């Protein structure tokens, strides 16, 4: 459904072609200096919607039903929530649904845009479903944090209608393409040693690896061991440093306000083409987070004299052990996540900083009166 132009990393991250199915076009993406100029329009009206609801949250059943009823008044949507099918009063609506099974059904060419009901974790899950091009994502804040979900559900009818009619602000959230190379490779899905097994079940000819698309961060830590983590960090083939501490976070600008900021990193606007490297509790007074250009290739390996193995996770999922001889390759992905904005990329981001993280919240200093100026 979605294809992106090839070329330098900045073009890959900031310039997109029209969609193959519904005819999406993104205007103004060449104006890197003006994030507010990025707009979403439809050449053809969208037909299919993927609705993803936060699991194990009963409070979201009623909003989910209301949204589904609203969407099914027109064309039949493509929705996901098999847990709700037992409601008899909701039965006629569910007949218009089409559910899918994760890792088994290919939905990459069947979805025009996505609606998320939940928190930031719901949007991260939506990103993980698409290992190539991602449809535009509209996130409603019905979770605990809501940094990535700027829409409130109270006015969902008018907001969804506005998106379907087009001309909405959009931000392209860059992702990381991550490949994990294992020294002791175990065959998966019947593939041979020269295959890459993709996270969505596909297979591509190359060296043995598992590939992921990561929206927030790649976290390498010491796992259950009591010893310091000891891993080597390479940039474009050159050894940059050895990380001795609890671990390392490699994050996108979107992920800079997640685990990275808790570990002392700066916050980067999602429109900045960059990769952030943040140590976790480093055993050094001078090891500070650094920002490198988008498109560089990072490689993380276990140091030869490391006392223990390391563990890695991708957006908090797919956690696995890294042993001697294994390596993790990280670079900027050509497939960002088009995230629909409530107002525009700048205002939405600063509002999230204030509302979710209470950035720079402080009681104001009292004004000096005329009598106080004499002292």
């Amino acid at each position: 459904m979605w294809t992106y132009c090839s070329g330098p990393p900045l073009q890959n991250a900031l310039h997109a072609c029209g969609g193959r199915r519904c005819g999406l076009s993104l205007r103004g993406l060449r104006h890197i200096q003006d994030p507010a100029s990025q707009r979403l329009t439809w050449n053809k009206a969208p037909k299919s919607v993927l609705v993803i609801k936060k699991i194990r949250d009963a409070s979201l059943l009623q909003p989910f039903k209301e949204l589904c009823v609203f969407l099914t008044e027109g064309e039949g949507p493509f929705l996901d929530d098999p847990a709700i099918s037992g409601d008899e009063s909701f039965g006629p609506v569910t007949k218009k649904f089409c559910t899918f099974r994760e890792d088994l059904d290919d939905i990459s060419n069947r979805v025009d845009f996505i609606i998320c009901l939940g928190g930031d974790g719901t949007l991260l899950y939506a990103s993980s479903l698409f290992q190539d091009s991602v449809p535009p994502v509209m996130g409603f804040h019905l979770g605990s944090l809501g940094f990535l979900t700027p829409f409130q559900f109270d006015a969902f009818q008018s907001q969804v209608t506005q998106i379907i009619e087009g001309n909405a602000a959009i931000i392209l959230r860059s992702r990381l393409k991550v490949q994990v190379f294992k020294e002791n490779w175990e065959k998966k899905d019947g593939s041979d040693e020269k295959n890459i097994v993709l996270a969505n079940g596909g297979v591509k000819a190359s060296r043995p690896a598992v590939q992921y698309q990561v929206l927030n961060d790649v976290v390498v830590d010491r796992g259950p061991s009591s010893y310091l983590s000891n891993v080597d960090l390479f940039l474009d083939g050159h050894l940059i440093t050895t990380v001795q501490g609890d671990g390392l976070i490699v994050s996108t600008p979107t992920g800079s306000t997640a685990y990275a900021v808790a570990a002392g990193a700066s916050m980067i606007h999602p429109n900045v083409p960059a990769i952030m490297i943040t140590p976790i509790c480093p055993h050094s007074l001078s090891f500070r987070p650094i920002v490198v250009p988008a498109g560089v290739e990072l490689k993380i390996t276990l140091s030869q004299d490391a006392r223990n193995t390391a563990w890695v996770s991708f957006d908090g999922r797919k956690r696995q052990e890294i042993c001697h001889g294994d390596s993790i390759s990280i670079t900027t992905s050509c497939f960002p996540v088009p995230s629909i904005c409530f107002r525009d990329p700048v205002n939405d981001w600063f509002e999230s900083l204030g509302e979710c993280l209470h950035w720079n919240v402080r009681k104001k200093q009292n004004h000096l009166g005329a009598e106080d100026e004499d002292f």
Side-chain angles (χ1 to χ4, degrees):
M1 172 176 173
W2 310 102
T3 56
Y4 288 90
C5 293
S6 60
L10 292 183
Q11 293 179 358
N12 288 337
L14 296 172
H15 180 233
C17 294
R20 297 192 299 271
R21 186 166 187 269
C22 58
L24 168 76
S25 64
L26 299 167
R27 296 186 287 114
L29 298 186
R30 291 186 180 275
H31 303 288
I32 301 176
Q33 293 81 3
D34 183 12
S37 65
Q38 299 176 183
R39 310 293 298 180
L40 165 66
T41 60
W42 306 100
N43 294 331
K44 296 180 181 179
K47 300 289 186 179
S48 300
V49 184
L50 171 64
V51 177
I52 301 177
K53 180 185 69 66
K54 181 181 178 181
I55 62 173
R56 294 187 290 272
D57 190 340
S59 65
L60 296 185
L61 292 179
Q62 187 58 36
F64 178 81
K65 294 178 183 179
E66 294 177 9
L67 175 62
C68 292
V69 170
F70 173 76
L71 290 171
T72 52
E73 290 177 353
E75 298 289 336
F78 179 85
L79 299 166
D80 166 45
D81 196 332
I84 202 173
S85 57
D87 191 336
E88 295 182 359
S89 63
F90 201 56
V93 180
T94 60
K95 294 180 180 179
K96 300 181 180 181
F97 291 0
C98 177
T99 60
F100 73 94
R101 296 164 298 174
E102 183 182 359
D103 297 331
L104 294 177
D105 298 328
D106 183 11
I107 60 173
S108 57
N109 291 318
R110 303 177 63 184
V111 179
D112 291 335
F113 75 100
I114 305 170
I115 296 178
C116 291
L117 303 178
D120 294 346
T122 310
L123 193 143
L124 292 173
Y125 173 73
S127 169
S128 70
L129 295 177
F130 297 86
Q131 293 300 300
D132 291 325
S133 300
V134 186
V137 182
M138 181 182 191
F140 284 96
H141 176 28
L142 293 168
S144 57
L145 185 62
F147 197 94
L148 306 178
T149 52
F151 290 91
Q152 300 297 324
F153 195 75
D154 296 341
F156 78 92
Q157 294 98 332
S158 61
Q159 293 170 345
V160 172
T161 300
Q162 182 180 357
I163 300 306
I164 294 175
E165 293 175 350
N167 196 28
I170 197 168
I171 182 170
L172 290 181
R173 299 184 178 274
S174 65
R175 295 195 292 179
L176 299 173
K177 183 180 75 172
V178 186
Q179 295 179 341
V180 180
F181 297 88
K182 290 287 190 177
E183 178 72 14
N184 297 320
W185 177 252
E186 296 180 0
K187 296 181 180 180
K188 299 181 180 180
D189 299 338
S191 60
D192 59 39
E193 293 182 350
K194 296 182 179 180
N195 285 342
I196 282 183
V197 181
L198 304 178
N200 62 357
V203 177
K204 182 175 69 175
S206 185
R207 294 177 56 196
V210 180
Q211 182 170 300
Y212 304 96
Q213 297 284 338
V214 176
L215 178 57
N216 256 1
D217 48 40
V218 179
V219 177
V220 179
D221 60 67
R222 60 189 175 94
S225 174
S226 59
Y227 292 113
L228 291 175
S229 174
N230 199 330
V231 296
D232 294 332
L233 175 64
F234 298 82
L235 190 151
D236 287 340
H238 302 284
L239 178 63
I240 300 301
T241 190
T242 296
V243 182
Q244 297 184 92
D246 279 356
L248 184 70
I249 305 169
V250 179
S251 59
T252 64
T254 295
S256 70
T257 50
Y259 191 3
V261 75
S266 296
M267 296 177 289
I268 306 176
H269 190 276
N271 266 333
V272 178
I275 299 175
M276 172 164 280
I277 302 171
T278 307
I280 306 173
C281 298
H283 200 236
S284 167
L285 297 176
S286 59
F287 195 171
R288 294 292 181 262
I290 60 173
V291 178
V292 297
V296 302
E297 182 177 2
L298 301 174
K299 186 174 77 169
I300 300 174
T301 63
L302 200 64
S303 299
Q304 291 184 354
D305 55 353
R307 296 184 178 183
N308 58 291
T309 61
W311 289 77
V312 61
S313 61
F314 314 94
D315 281 343
R317 306 178 73 210
K318 307 292 185 180
R319 184 170 170 82
Q320 55 195 269
E321 190 174 16
I322 300 298
C323 304
H324 284 94
D326 300 345
S327 65
I328 305 168
S329 173
I330 305 172
T331 190
T332 303
S333 171
C334 295
F335 303 105
V337 175
S339 181
I340 300 174
C341 301
F342 178 67
R343 291 188 177 87
D344 61 70
V346 174
N347 283 320
D348 283 10
W349 192 67
F350 277 100
E351 285 187 9
S352 293
L353 288 182
E355 293 180 6
C356 300
L357 300 182
H358 300 288
W359 177 63
N360 198 28
V361 174
R362 179 192 183 277
K363 182 179 180 181
K364 289 188 176 181
Q365 196 175 43
N366 291 331
H367 175 71
L368 286 177
E371 62 279 5
D372 297 322
E373 294 180 355
D374 296 335
F375 295 93

